[in-house]
């Protein structure tokens, strides 16, 4: 299975929190090829709506379009850029990476530097690096030259092109969560091709999930969905050091992962289970005793409440430049959610 063209486009468009314009524009352009309505709200969240036989139930399928990034916090007199995180970084992952600074004049290439091991002293060698111990080098001679091209507040992303591996597996930065917005749009497209469901389906590319689900929160208030499925990624438990006992058993190739627990809707999960059975796809489970750490946490408490489910795709090496997914799991997730959308009836979903 080769990488779908839309997914490739999404993965190669930089979009850290609050600066998601490039991937969101690619997503909306694809949506205009089939959607009945495509909109963009004040915080950058995009919605592609496919009409149904009636106005309800309105199903929102939500992915987040942002990726973790950095921000320039200071340009020193020697031209080195100090940075702060925008999203959850392990600083060890950043050491030695190539990056792009997204300036107003266009991308500027750079590298993440730190003190070389040769000049680390004593216990320094044993300590984990901290973000404040790293800097970005854009190759300039001094601070004056750096400030001609870079400003404090400019966002930074890792420079890492997608790579196809054996066994329909794909490596890239930003699979968390360009996979989710790709799935959401594909679900809407397939529902449209099937003639629509009982109610509308709204695919959503929400902004700023990595720093607090701000785009999903405003979207849910404005769109007022009757029910929602948040599509995200979860840790593949077939990688060394990842404990299936805590997370549930779901390695690459095991299909969609349905979250069970406190904030998710059990009736909606039951419908997902039935939809998966109807298309012959096995799903695995993940438990969440409180927050799911996805957009579902913001959506389910919007207005008077929205029955919400979380469907995730197993992913290795999350929040790194080498996130790794099996494309068959992505396809299976699309099929299950599309099947659910087409099985919904024009009747209220039981709350609990």
């Amino acid at each position: 299975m080769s990488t779908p063209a839309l997914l490739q486009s999404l993965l190669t468009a930089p979009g850290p929190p609050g600066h998601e314009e490039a991937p969101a524009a690619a997503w909306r352009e694809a949506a205009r090829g089939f959607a009945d309505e495509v909109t963009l709200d004040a915080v950058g969240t995009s919605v592609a709506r496919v009409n149904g036989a009636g106005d309800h139930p309105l199903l929102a399928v939500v992915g987040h379009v942002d990726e973790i990034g950095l921000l320039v916090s200071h340009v020193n007199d020697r031209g080195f850029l100090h940075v702060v995180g925008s999203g959850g970084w392990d600083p060890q992952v950043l050491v030695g990476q190539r990056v792009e600074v997204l300036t107003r004049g266009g991308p500027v290439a750079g590298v993440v530097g730190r003190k070389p091991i040769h000049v680390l002293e004593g216990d320094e060698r044993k300590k984990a690096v901290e973000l404040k111990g790293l800097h970005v080098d854009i190759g300039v001679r001094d601070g004056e030259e750096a400030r001609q091209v870079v400003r404090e507040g400019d966002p930074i992303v890792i420079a890492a092109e997608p790579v196809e591996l054996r066994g329909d597996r794909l490596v890239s930065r930003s699979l968390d969560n360009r996979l989710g917005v790709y799935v959401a749009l594909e679900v809407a497209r397939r529902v449209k091709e099937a003639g629509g469901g009982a109610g509308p389906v709204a695919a959503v590319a929400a902004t700023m999930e990595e720093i607090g689900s701000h785009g999903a929160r405003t979207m849910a208030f404005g769109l007022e969905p009757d029910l929602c499925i948040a599509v995200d990624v979860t840790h593949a438990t077939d990688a060394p050091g990842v404990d299936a006992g805590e997370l549930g058993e779901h390695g690459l190739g095991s299909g969609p992962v349905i979250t069970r627990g406190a904030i998710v809707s059990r009736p909606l999960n039951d419908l997902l289970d039935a939809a998966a059975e109807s298309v012959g796809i096995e799903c695995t489970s993940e438990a969440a005793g409180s927050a799911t750490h996805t957009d579902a946490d913001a959506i389910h408490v919007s207005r008077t409440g929205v029955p919400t489910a979380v469907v995730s795709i197993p992913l290795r090496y999350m929040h790194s430049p080498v996130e790794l997914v099996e494309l068959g799991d992505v396809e299976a997730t699309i099929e299950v959610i599309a099947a659910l959308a087409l099985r919904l009836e024009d009747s209220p979903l039981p709350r609990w």
Side-chain angles (χ1 to χ4, degrees):
M1 183 184 297
S2 61
T3 306
L6 173 58
L7 181 56
Q8 179 77 14
S9 177
L10 292 169
L11 293 173
T12 52
H19 301 272
E20 302 94 341
E21 295 91 347
W27 190 90
R28 290 194 303 275
E29 181 62 26
R32 292 188 185 101
F34 68 87
D36 294 303
E37 182 182 36
V38 180
T39 58
L40 174 67
D41 74 11
V43 297
T45 292
S46 305
V47 178
R49 181 178 175 127
V50 169
N51 293 334
D55 292 334
H56 299 280
L58 169 55
L59 169 66
V61 184
V62 181
H64 70 84
V65 72
D66 58 316
E67 62 185 292
I68 58 172
L70 302 167
L71 291 176
V72 177
S73 59
H74 176 62
V75 181
N76 74 21
D77 289 340
R78 290 179 293 171
F80 296 110
L81 315 182
H82 296 273
V83 297
V84 295
S86 185
W89 279 106
D90 175 0
Q92 323 311 310
V93 169
L94 286 167
V95 176
Q97 296 291 341
R98 301 181 185 194
V99 298
E100 282 189 341
V101 186
L102 307 179
T103 76
R104 286 175 171 81
V108 173
V111 296
V112 178
R114 68 166 297 197
K115 186 192 296 187
I117 191 170
H118 312 74
V119 295
L120 292 175
E121 298 180 1
D123 288 342
E124 263 191 313
R125 294 190 176 209
K126 301 177 183 179
K127 292 180 180 178
V129 66
E130 298 182 37
L131 193 55
K132 65 183 180 181
L134 301 176
H135 60 268
V136 171
D137 188 337
I138 58 172
V140 295
R141 297 186 181 278
D142 54 33
E144 182 178 355
E145 184 181 352
R147 295 183 190 103
Q148 291 174 3
V149 291
V150 175
R151 300 183 185 183
E152 280 88 356
D154 282 346
I156 301 172
V157 295
I158 295 289
E161 291 291 306
V163 177
E164 294 180 354
L165 301 183
R166 298 167 63 89
D168 294 333
R169 292 178 175 182
L170 176 67
V171 169
S172 181
R173 69 163 226 282
S174 76
L175 287 170
D176 176 12
N177 187 30
R178 304 286 160 70
L179 291 174
V181 296
Y182 171 74
V183 167
L185 198 57
E186 273 296 291
V187 167
R189 184 179 67 81
R190 295 187 193 188
V191 169
K192 177 75 171 184
E193 289 177 349
V201 173
V204 178
T207 56
M208 294 181 279
E209 188 269 356
E210 296 289 359
I211 58 170
S213 293
H214 304 308
R217 182 174 290 107
T218 57
M219 175 280 303
F221 186 90
L223 186 64
E224 296 187 68
D226 295 303
L227 59 161
C228 175
I229 297 174
V231 186
D232 214 309
V233 294
T234 189
H235 301 287
T237 55
D238 56 358
V242 183
D243 184 9
E246 180 181 350
L247 299 171
E249 189 73 46
H250 36 74
L252 298 188
S254 64
V257 184
I258 299 175
T259 299
R260 324 272 178 182
I263 75 155
V264 292
S265 165
R266 184 180 296 177
L268 185 50
N269 275 350
D270 290 343
L271 293 177
L272 278 168
D273 290 336
E277 185 177 357
S278 74
V279 291
I281 292 175
E282 292 188 10
C283 299
T284 60
S285 296
E286 182 169 60
S290 55
T292 67
H293 305 292
T294 71
D295 278 331
D297 298 342
I299 294 167
H300 86 285
V301 291
S302 182
R303 293 186 183 266
T304 59
V306 181
T308 303
V310 178
V311 180
S312 299
I313 300 165
L315 187 76
R316 291 180 185 165
Y317 321 125
M318 196 181 299
H319 283 200
S320 84
V322 292
E323 294 177 338
L324 196 159
V325 71
E326 185 163 319
L327 291 173
D329 292 331
V330 181
E331 175 60 27
T333 302
I334 295 166
E335 290 185 33
V336 168
I337 300 174
L340 176 138
L342 291 168
R343 291 164 62 91
L344 289 175
E345 298 178 356
D346 190 9
S347 58
L349 181 75
R351 293 295 177 177
W352 297 105

